[in-house]
Amino acid sequence: MTAKLPESARATIVQTLPGWVEVAGRDAISRTFVFADFSEAWGFMSRVALLAETAGHHPEWSNVWNRVEITLTTHDAAGLSEKDVTLARAISALLG
């Protein structure tokens, strides 16, 4: 089972992950990505899917035309874990 992040580490998570925010009422982080069009958004989602599959850690996400919303939390930890931080960094790195 994956360990939940300690409270001391959680206080600074979003400060170290530009663009990511805490989800109100949940132990999760999220980020909204906006692209030029659906094709660009879909390509981004495909790259995220490959990262997630390699990591064995899958996001909650949705896509409407040029907008992709991603929420990260670790279900077996009942909240944020290092897996979420690592995946958030990798997703952000896709954009350069």
Side-chain angles (χ1 to χ4, degrees):
M1 184 169 179
T2 304
K4 195 172 180 177
L5 285 174
E7 201 61 42
S8 58
R10 302 148 72 73
T12 61
I13 289 175
V14 294
Q15 295 168 352
T16 65
L17 297 169
W20 293 86
V21 297
E22 294 181 64
V23 177
R26 289 188 66 190
D27 193 11
I29 56 174
S30 70
R31 183 169 174 186
T32 299
F33 301 87
V34 178
F35 299 94
D37 55 29
F38 178 76
S39 180
E40 193 176 312
W42 189 265
F44 171 74
M45 289 179 70
S46 295
R47 292 189 304 278
V48 171
L50 293 172
L51 286 175
E53 192 62 24
T54 299
H57 188 57
H58 304 92
E60 297 173 14
W61 60 2
S62 66
N63 164 243
V64 176
W65 189 58
N66 70 337
R67 182 182 207 84
V68 178
E69 295 183 17
I70 299 178
T71 299
L72 298 175
T73 189
T74 303
H75 297 267
D76 67 346
L80 287 169
S81 76
E82 189 58 42
K83 287 183 176 184
D84 301 304
V85 175
T86 300
L87 188 54
R89 284 194 179 111
I91 291 169
S92 293
L94 289 174
L95 302 173

